Amino acid sequence: MRRFYKGADISRVQSVAEMAALARYRLPDFAWEYLAGGAENEQTLSCNESDFAKIRLTSHTLVANYPPELTRSLVGSASALPMMIGPTGFNGMLWPQADIALAKAANVKKIPFCLSTVSNASMEQVREAAQELDFWFQLYGLKNAQLNDDLLARAKAVGVSTLVITSDAFVVGNREWDRRNFARPRQLTWHNKANVMLHPNWVRRVMFPYGLPTMGNLNPYLPTYEQSALGAMKFIQEQLDTLFNWESVARIRDQWHGKLILKGVLHPDDAKQAVKLGFDGIVVSNHGGRQLDGALSSIEALPAIVKAVGGDIDILLDSGIRRGSDVVKAAALGVQGVMLGRATLFGVAAGGQIGVSRVLDILQEELSRSLNLMGVQRLDELSPAHLYLS
Ligand code: FNR
């Protein structure tokens, strides 16, 4: 990994991997592991990237057309690119007001942004900061039905267009680094406390003046003595509905009248069930390798899902997108677009909104250039014929 030093110029960062190196340099170990780590042996985490690398692109030469057309409809949302920013929790640990930085960068690029249930900024704060944003909200299945209802009512009130139900995290994945970094729940080990002190800029940015940020969406439901980020983490873990099933999502379908997406689909039968229940879209995802280790990579799971439901429902994909050419590969296999997870988080951790915008520019340029070099003029020309699987 390339090394970076204090004061590195974000505009000179050339790739998502370089942005990750800068984020690594700026974050204390425990925050970096939260961002970059996966479950157990991290096999799925690493396959998410290496399976993209196994796919080769075919190309036609001497078909000059630059820049190619990149606009796309993502489950009915008009997007300037076949990508959007997906839901991630606790972003405020990476940069102050990180949710707002991500939302604003998405708004400038004219792509949708999805806020997590466990974000630090509340949905009302995000809407206030980015009034034109195509705003999506991600919901976990929670035990308390009233809490679910209230979150849906708030989402509707702030003009959320699309609700994303995350189906693969009703129990939290086995993230060993998380337990290793804490001596007991909510208490960093001495080693990690010392490591935090080696990152005074992070301490100044993120911890002053009020400590770790709280969870805006959940604060109204927390007892006063638990009004902290870590209190909210405990609360959400207790609230995750371990009995969350197809009946639960059918109930949400009846309650929510906007567009509805199921995130965390890896099996064609589940994709068919989502079509049957009237979902508008699915996200083929293994949660960035943070849940079931050994699960298929998303790009590996995709062809069977496209075969089962392609044409019946919009398909998005996440997990492992680090280059514009990854977006080309996913689109050639049949997705409408991709959700970005760590790619834009590396940007926000390295430099707030400027870092996110730089990542989006890099991916856009890479996508444009790849299509041009392949002799493809529009995204919807892409098909499996553009891929070579060794
Ligand atoms: C996530 N992800 C996630 N998903 C979700 O539905 N709700 C959430 O709150 C979170 N939180 C979260 C935090 C962090 C730090 C990461 C890295 C991921 C999963 C996320 O939406 C997406 O599925 C993965 O990040 C995609 O994989 P890549 O692109 O990070 O490899």
Side-chain angles (χ1 to χ4, degrees):
M1 206 180 240
R2 203 186 156 109
R3 285 188 65 83
F4 275 95
Y5 301 95
K6 195 163 67 184
D9 178 359
I10 297 265
S11 68
R12 298 280 307 140
V13 172
Q14 298 299 319
S15 66
V16 171
E18 280 192 20
M19 196 66 88
L22 184 52
R24 176 58 201 108
Y25 171 72
R26 293 196 166 157
L27 292 175
D29 286 354
F30 88 98
W32 168 254
E33 288 199 324
Y34 171 73
L35 162 58
E40 296 185 353
N41 294 336
E42 303 190 331
Q43 282 167 349
T44 298
L45 176 72
S46 71
C47 287
N48 278 341
E49 290 186 43
S50 60
D51 285 351
F52 271 110
K54 284 185 200 154
I55 304 173
R56 304 264 176 275
L57 299 169
T58 63
S59 58
H60 287 285
T61 195
L62 296 177
V63 189
N65 179 53
Y66 194 86
E69 172 62 44
L70 297 181
T71 57
R72 198 75 149 169
S73 162
L74 304 180
V75 195
S77 286
S79 178
L81 298 172
M83 52 184 113
M84 59 170 289
I85 299 183
T88 52
F90 219 160
N91 297 331
M93 190 160 61
L94 309 175
W95 191 268
Q97 303 284 328
D99 299 307
I100 288 178
L102 287 154
K104 282 184 166 174
N107 195 26
V108 169
K109 209 38 129 182
K110 297 285 167 244
I111 62 174
F113 165 75
C114 185
L115 188 73
S116 163
T117 302
V118 288
S119 58
N120 296 115
S122 67
M123 50 184 124
E124 291 81 7
Q125 287 169 323
V126 169
R127 174 50 89 205
E128 174 76 30
Q131 303 198 354
E132 303 299 314
L133 176 71
D134 189 336
F135 194 3
W136 297 19
F137 181 67
Q138 174 263 323
L139 188 73
Y140 282 117
L142 303 176
K143 285 180 189 152
N144 181 339
Q146 226 177 327
L147 177 57
N148 258 328
D149 296 353
D150 202 53
L151 285 168
L152 290 186
R154 286 169 63 193
K156 191 171 169 212
V158 298
V160 162
S161 67
T162 308
L163 185 71
V164 176
I165 300 178
T166 294
S167 62
D168 59 4
F170 57 94
V171 290
V172 179
N174 187 15
R175 304 169 192 171
E176 291 162 6
W177 35 266
D178 220 2
R179 284 198 296 277
R180 215 183 295 119
N181 288 334
F182 289 84
R184 52 181 186 279
R186 310 195 244 175
Q187 190 65 250
L188 281 176
T189 60
W190 281 108
H191 169 88
N192 274 286
K193 282 182 183 161
N195 179 266
V196 164
M197 291 305 144
L198 296 175
H199 294 82
N201 285 325
W202 179 86
V203 173
R204 178 181 53 76
R205 269 198 295 264
V206 172
M207 298 294 285
F208 279 124
Y210 303 115
L212 283 177
T214 60
M215 296 204 169
N217 292 323
L218 300 178
N219 274 342
Y221 318 112
L222 296 178
T224 32
Y225 59 88
E226 289 284 27
Q227 295 269 344
S228 66
L230 298 172
M233 282 306 246
K234 180 170 158 247
F235 173 78
I236 195 76
Q237 288 187 8
E238 288 164 1
Q239 271 297 322
L240 285 179
D241 184 2
T242 47
L243 303 177
F244 195 61
N245 61 18
W246 288 105
E247 277 171 35
S248 327
V249 294
R251 270 198 301 279
I252 298 175
R253 167 74 288 182
D254 293 341
Q255 268 176 295
W256 176 258
H257 301 298
K259 285 173 285 168
L260 188 66
I261 294 184
L262 191 66
K263 173 173 180 282
V265 176
L266 288 173
H267 197 290
D269 291 349
D270 292 345
K272 283 187 197 161
Q273 182 71 0
V275 172
K276 212 184 282 174
L277 285 182
F279 277 85
D280 301 288
I282 54 172
V283 187
V284 178
S285 168
N286 57 38
H287 213 103
R290 296 163 81 81
Q291 288 294 104
L292 175 64
D293 194 32
L296 295 186
S297 70
S298 297
I299 198 69
E300 200 175 25
L302 180 63
I305 290 174
V306 171
K307 191 162 169 226
V309 299
D312 298 336
I313 193 166
D314 271 12
I315 304 175
L316 305 179
L317 173 141
D318 74 18
S319 300
I321 302 288
R322 302 289 183 272
R323 287 277 183 191
S325 56
D326 297 335
V327 185
V328 173
K329 292 170 186 175
L333 286 173
V335 306
Q336 293 302 114
V338 300
M339 278 187 170
L340 302 170
R342 292 186 186 81
T344 32
L345 288 184
F346 294 145
V348 85
Q353 186 182 339
I354 297 173
V356 183
S357 293
R358 180 71 193 134
V359 166
L360 294 175
D361 287 347
I362 289 169
L363 290 174
Q364 177 176 1
E365 270 173 46
E366 288 176 352
L367 173 60
S368 259
R369 190 180 298 107
S370 297
L371 291 174
N372 198 231
L373 291 171
M374 290 167 72
V376 172
Q377 327 220 353
R378 287 188 329 275
L379 282 170
D380 53 18
E381 282 173 34
L382 285 171
S383 77
H386 290 98
L387 306 181
Y388 177 83
L389 292 129
S390 50

